[in-house]
């Protein structure tokens, strides 16, 4: 056969797949469905090796399950809104639509060159009005259900992106996208009440047995459920209350001061009574320049007393000072804490610094509050009628008393805050509301959706949102009263668009509704979702929340959108994640012309387990290229008879190896252990090469060769299609049936079991293969003998010792 021409062969089969619509999906009640999906890609304009890895993993899943006879949905689309497009418009004087569409076209071409088996007929882009019409519709439905609201709030502001960010989009005090240090501003903003689903988002984890434990743990910590009490501390001499959330109501008698966040409303409300307000204002200004991370992580806890006002400890009746300190944040609890310095080290250090009394209320033999806070359990002291009660039992008892006294109540608190979705930029989904002086905030009627982005805007990168520069957009009539009104000029966070796209794929081009529920309920939930772990506390929480809302709206029936989740490892270059903004990408365009898409796919999947990080190196490419050519060259061998004399033993061994390989690869692909699956096929190819020198039985070697091709389809589809055609098959190998192993062919007469003494391997024993390792009850040693107990019967294995165990001799074996 001629030399393997990857460029010609890959283009040939990509064209055949497209023309014959090989990968298009339709609902079918006669087949089990399988929905495979990667996280919605942003059209940055060029793929890098991180993308190649992500999409290659997904393609293996899709192709494997198709060949297993399942009805596979494997769609693709574009998370097309966002700041980079708008920034490009400002920098290059090009409209975001044009910039985005150019990037989509380029990346689509690259994806097709990789042979990814997407159903392109379902392609979507979140910037298309046909898509964001339904984003707006769903947003209005949330408004109608009380889940969307607008309020003034202290928010994260990115001075570089010129927009507000959600809490989840600020990490270590910097913007998630541009890494600029964020600021705090008080602005009127739109929110989605995701907190209404906080408990269910936690409870839903019980269903997500196919998710990495790390992701579930990250979400659990981010949602941050805490059980405790909300207690009211009266401001002395006033009727004003300071609400405080605490998880330790049992320590209330030890509260000797309170601390409020610099942004807390009590400061402005009590301004006339705060004697040192000027100094307090200076402290507040200095705090506003710090990120939340800097404020909470700083070892030096600073603060300033609000002189002139005190709180009253409701348990003791004593007046206690009020401080403001930047380590207290408005984002958790009530933005105020009760300080118990005897039993919290941070409070203890603060009390020592500002000479505040320390009252011990939990006593133990190990407590010594003169040296440090005691933070463990003990018996209550200095706590009135609760003295002598164990602190572990006092939680409920004290809460009941607090509620009976009327100054507090049992409550549950979450770290999770409502989702701030306002963005002061142009390139996003317009928020479909109108501001009327008479009617207030009015939703745009469904018949007038979508609210489309105007084109008569100015992109300066300075000042207000570009939408405010469009008079045709801003000036409208109120849909209720018909009076002059103003359209909302904030756009939605792009994470809103990507919170429901997986549902749109199920009915991608429905013009009458977001999707047909019967189609959605056929395909959902997604069987295998693939994407980066960096989205654990953003997209993956938002998408779960959004799907639960659609369920409650009655248009979806499942509780969770993604059954199994794979967070693939990054592909780095020199230790840094590949990124266009960092200028450190390696493009598939650099590899495919020389080695081909199949070689690139094979290498990126073989280099490491899918969940592990890969630091890019081109060294392994050559090895994968040689392996592909090894498979190619075998075609000439299996299509002609060898002159050698057949050897039955070699034939049996090869067939046994074939069936063992089918079983191993099938199991590995199902578990997404793709590197070991490829390794197993490599061993089979080596076995086939060894066999060809000993056989003139064309049938057996051809059978094994065909098996190699079928097993390699998910990894190197172009190569396999070409060989399959040359073997005389008319249909695409991509639609052929996955091979099935014969259990009888791979049975072993005996298996080896390890023998360990004091945790060290000392040898192995042979037992019949039908005895499972779990049936070995125990292995003990005595007088130079190993006693193995199998199925309740004892088998003695004698061993010889010459300073150490060197040999195990099996005397007899009776089961």
């Amino acid at each position: 056969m001629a030399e393997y021409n990857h460029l010609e062969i890959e283009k040939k089969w990509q064209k055949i797949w497209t023309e014959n619509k090989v990968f298009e999906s339709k609902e079918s009640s006669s087949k089990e469905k399988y929905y495979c999906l990667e996280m919605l890609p942003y059209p940055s304009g060029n793929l890098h090796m991180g993308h190649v890895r992500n999409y290659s993993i997904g393609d293996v899943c899709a192709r494997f399950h198709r060949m297993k006879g399942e009805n596979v949905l494997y769609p693709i689309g574009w998370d097309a809104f966002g700041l980079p497009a708008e920034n490009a418009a400002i920098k290059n004087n090009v409209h975001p639509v044009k910039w985005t569409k150019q990037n989509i076209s380029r990346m689509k071409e690259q994806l097709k060159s990789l042979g990814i088996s997407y159903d392109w007929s379902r392609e979507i882009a979140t910037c298309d009005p046909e898509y964001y019409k339904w984003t707006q519709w769903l947003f209005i439905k949330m408004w109608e259900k009380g889940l969307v609201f607008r309020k003034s709030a202290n928010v994260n502001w990115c001075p570089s992106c010129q927009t507000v960010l959600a809490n989840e989009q600020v990490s270590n005090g910097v913007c998630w996208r541009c890494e600029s240090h964020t600021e705090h501003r008080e602005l009127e903003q739109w929110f989605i009440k995701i907190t209404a689903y906080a408990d269910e988002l936690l409870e839903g984890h019980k269903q997500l047995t196919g998710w990495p434990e790390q992701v579930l743990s990250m979400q659990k910590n981010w949602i941050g459920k805490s059980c405790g009490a909300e207690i009211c501390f009266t401001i002395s001499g006033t009727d004003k209350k300071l609400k405080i959330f605490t998880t330790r109501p049992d320590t209330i008698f030890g509260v000797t001061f309170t601390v409020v966040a610099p942004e807390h409303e009590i400061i402005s409300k009590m301004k006339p009574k705060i004697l040192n307000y000027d100094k307090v204002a200076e402290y507040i200004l200095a705090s506003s320049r710090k990120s939340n991370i800097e404020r909470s992580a700083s070892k030096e806890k600073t603060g300033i007393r609000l002189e002139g006002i005190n709180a009253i400890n409701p348990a003791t009746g004593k007046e206690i000072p009020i401080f403001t300190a930047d380590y207290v944040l408005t984002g958790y609890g009530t933005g105020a804490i009760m300080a118990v310095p005897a039993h919290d080290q941070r409070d203890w250090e603060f009390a020592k610094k500002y000479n505040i009394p320390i009252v011990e209320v939990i006593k133990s033999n190990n407590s010594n509050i003169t040296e440090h806070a005691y933070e463990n359990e003990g018996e209550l002291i200095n706590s009135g009628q609760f003295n002598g009660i164990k602190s572990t039992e006092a939680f409920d008892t004290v809460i009941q008393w607090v509620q009976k006294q009327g100054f507090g109540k049992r409550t549950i608190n979450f770290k999770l805050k409502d989702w701030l979705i306002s963005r002061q930029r142009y390139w996003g989904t317009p928020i479909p509301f109108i501001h009327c002086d008479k009617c207030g905030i009015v939703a745009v009627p469904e018949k007038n959706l979508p609210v489309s982005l105007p084109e008569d805007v100015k992109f300066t990168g300075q000042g207000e949102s570009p939408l405010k520069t469009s008079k045709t957009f801003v000036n409208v009539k109120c849909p209720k009263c018909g009076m002059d009104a103003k359209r909302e000029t904030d756009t939605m966070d792009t994470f809103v668009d990507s919170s429901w796209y997986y549902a749109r794929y199920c009915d991608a081009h429905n013009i009458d509704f977001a999707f047909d529920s019967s189609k959605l309920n056929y395909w959902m939930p997604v069987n295998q979702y693939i994407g980066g772990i960096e989205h654990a506390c953003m997209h993956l929480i938002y998408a779960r929340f959004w799907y639960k809302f659609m369920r409650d709206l009655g248009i979806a029936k499942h509780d969770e959108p993604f059954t199994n989740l794979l967070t693939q490892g990054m592909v780095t270059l020199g230790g840094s994640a590949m990124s266009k903004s960092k200028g450190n990408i390696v493009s598939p365009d650099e590899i495919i012309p020389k080695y081909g898409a199949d070689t690139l796919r094979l290498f990126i999947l073989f280099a490491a387990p899918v969940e592990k990080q890969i630091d890019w190196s081109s060294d392994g490419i050559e090895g994968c290229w040689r392996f592909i050519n090894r498979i190619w060259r075998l075609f000439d061998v299996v299509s002609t008879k060898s002159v050698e004399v057949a050897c039955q033993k070699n034939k049996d061994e090869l067939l046994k190896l074939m069936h063992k390989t089918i079983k191993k690869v099938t199991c590995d692909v199902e578990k997404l252990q793709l590197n070991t699956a490829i390794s197993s096929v490599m061993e089979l190819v080596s076995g086939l090469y060894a066999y060809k020198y000993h056989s003139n039985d064309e049938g057996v070697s051809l059978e094994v060769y065909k098996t190699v091709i079928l097993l390699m389809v998910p990894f190197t589809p172009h190569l396999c299609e070409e060989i399959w055609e040359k073997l005389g098959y008319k249909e695409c190998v991509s639609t052929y049936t996955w091979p099935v192993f014969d259990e009888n062919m791979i049975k072993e007469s005996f298996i080896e079991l390890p023998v360990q003494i004091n945790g060290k391997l000392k040898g192995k024993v042979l037992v019949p293969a039908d005895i499972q390792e779990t049936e070995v009850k125990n292995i003990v040693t005595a007088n130079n003998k190993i006693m193995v107990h199998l199925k309740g019967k004892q088998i003695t294995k004698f061993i010889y010792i010459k300073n150490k165990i060197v040999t195990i001799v099996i005397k007899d074996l009776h089961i």
Side-chain angles (χ1 to χ4, degrees), residues 204-480:
H205 285 166
K206 295 175 183 176
Q207 296 183 37
L208 302 179
T209 56
W211 282 42
E213 189 58 42
Q214 184 182 3
V215 172
L216 298 180
S217 178
M218 290 169 71
Q219 287 197 359
K220 182 179 179 180
N221 291 336
W222 186 263
I223 295 168
K225 183 177 181 178
S226 300
C227 298
E230 186 180 90
I231 298 176
C232 290
F233 286 66
T234 303
I235 305 298
S236 180
T238 75
D239 59 356
K240 291 184 170 54
K241 308 284 186 183
L242 186 61
K243 289 184 178 180
I244 287 171
F245 173 77
T246 178
T247 58
R248 293 298 306 273
D250 51 306
T251 64
I252 189 171
F253 286 86
V255 177
T256 57
F257 65 102
T258 63
V259 187
V260 299
E263 302 84 5
H264 200 286
E265 62 178 10
I266 200 70
I267 297 175
S268 59
K269 286 182 178 180
M270 299 299 296
K271 178 179 177 180
K273 291 185 175 292
I274 299 174
L275 303 179
N276 60 335
Y277 186 82
D278 288 347
K279 289 185 178 179
V280 171
E282 289 177 11
Y283 183 83
I284 292 171
L285 180 62
S287 298
S288 70
R289 295 179 180 135
K290 297 180 183 179
S291 70
N292 286 351
I293 298 295
E294 290 171 324
R295 286 168 57 172
S296 58
S298 175
K299 291 183 179 180
E300 171 111 22
K301 303 304 179 189
T302 65
I304 184 170
R305 183 172 178 176
L306 306 183
E307 295 178 5
I309 63 171
N310 290 316
I312 298 175
N313 183 329
T316 64
K318 294 181 179 179
E319 289 195 8
I320 54 177
I322 304 173
F323 285 77
T324 184
D326 59 13
Y327 69 83
V328 179
L329 307 175
T330 55
Y332 180 69
T334 63
I337 65 168
M338 65 179 211
V340 187
H343 306 293
D344 182 285
Q345 187 61 28
R346 180 187 60 186
D347 295 346
W348 188 90
E349 292 169 1
F350 197 92
K352 286 290 186 180
K353 181 175 182 177
Y354 293 101
N355 197 28
I356 304 170
I358 299 174
V359 177
E360 186 175 24
V361 292
I362 297 177
K363 185 67 177 176
S364 165
N365 293 332
N366 299 320
S367 60
N368 182 7
I369 63 167
T370 60
E371 298 293 330
H372 53 75
Y374 177 70
E375 297 180 325
N376 296 318
E377 304 299 338
E379 287 189 355
L380 266 60
I381 62 171
N382 300 320
S383 299
Q385 68 267 40
F386 303 108
N387 287 343
I389 297 176
K390 291 182 179 179
S391 57
T392 52
E393 301 170 0
F395 183 91
D396 288 326
T397 305
V398 172
I399 287 182
Q400 289 172 9
W401 176 74
V402 165
Q403 290 183 151
K404 188 175 181 181
Q405 296 299 311
F407 59 80
K409 61 181 181 180
R410 183 186 300 272
T411 189
I412 294 174
N413 192 63
F414 293 92
K415 287 183 182 178
L416 179 71
K417 294 303 167 188
D418 289 325
W419 181 7
L420 193 164
I421 62 94
S422 288
R423 297 296 178 268
Q424 291 67 44
R425 300 302 293 257
Y426 167 83
W427 194 232
T429 297
I431 294 177
F433 285 89
I434 291 169
H435 299 273
C436 174
D437 290 340
K438 180 181 177 182
C439 305
I441 298 174
V442 182
V444 173
E446 184 177 336
K447 65 180 180 180
N448 295 335
L449 297 178
V451 176
S452 300
L453 290 168
E455 295 195 10
D456 59 334
V457 295
K458 297 175 183 178
F459 297 103
T460 63
Q462 303 295 324
E464 296 181 309
S465 165
L467 282 176
K468 292 186 177 181
T469 67
S470 172
K471 293 181 179 180
T472 59
F473 181 81
V474 173
N475 298 319
V476 293
K477 298 292 183 181
C478 173
K480 273 192 175 180

Side-chain angles (χ1 to χ4, degrees), residues 753-765 786 805 808:
L753 292 182
V755 175
Q756 293 185 5
I757 299 177
N758 297 328
K760 294 183 179 180
L761 182 67
K762 297 300 184 181
K764 296 179 180 178
V765 295
I786 298 177
I805 298 175
I808 296 178

Side-chain angles (χ1 to χ4, degrees), residues 7-48:
L7 291 175
E8 180 182 305
I9 289 169
E10 290 177 355
K11 287 179 180 178
K12 167 187 170 180
W13 287 103
Q14 289 160 16
K15 183 180 179 183
I16 290 173
W17 293 332
T18 300
E19 290 177 349
N20 291 280
K21 301 179 180 179
V22 173
F23 306 122
E24 289 191 11
S25 308
K26 296 188 184 303
E27 297 74 30
S28 173
S29 58
S30 63
K31 284 185 174 183
E32 183 179 350
K33 70 91 182 178
Y34 185 85
Y35 188 173
C36 181
L37 186 65
E38 299 109 10
M39 290 182 185
L40 191 63
Y42 179 76
S44 59
N46 203 27
L47 295 183
H48 57 66

Side-chain angles (χ1 to χ4, degrees), residues 131-155:
Y131 180 86
Y132 68 72
K133 170 183 179 177
W134 301 109
T135 304
Q136 293 171 340
W137 182 84
L138 287 163
F139 190 74
I140 291 171
K141 290 300 174 185
M142 286 186 178
W143 164 270
E144 293 172 354
K145 298 292 184 181
L147 293 174
V148 164
F149 62 96
R150 183 174 164 87
K151 72 171 183 178
S152 179
N154 187 273
V155 297

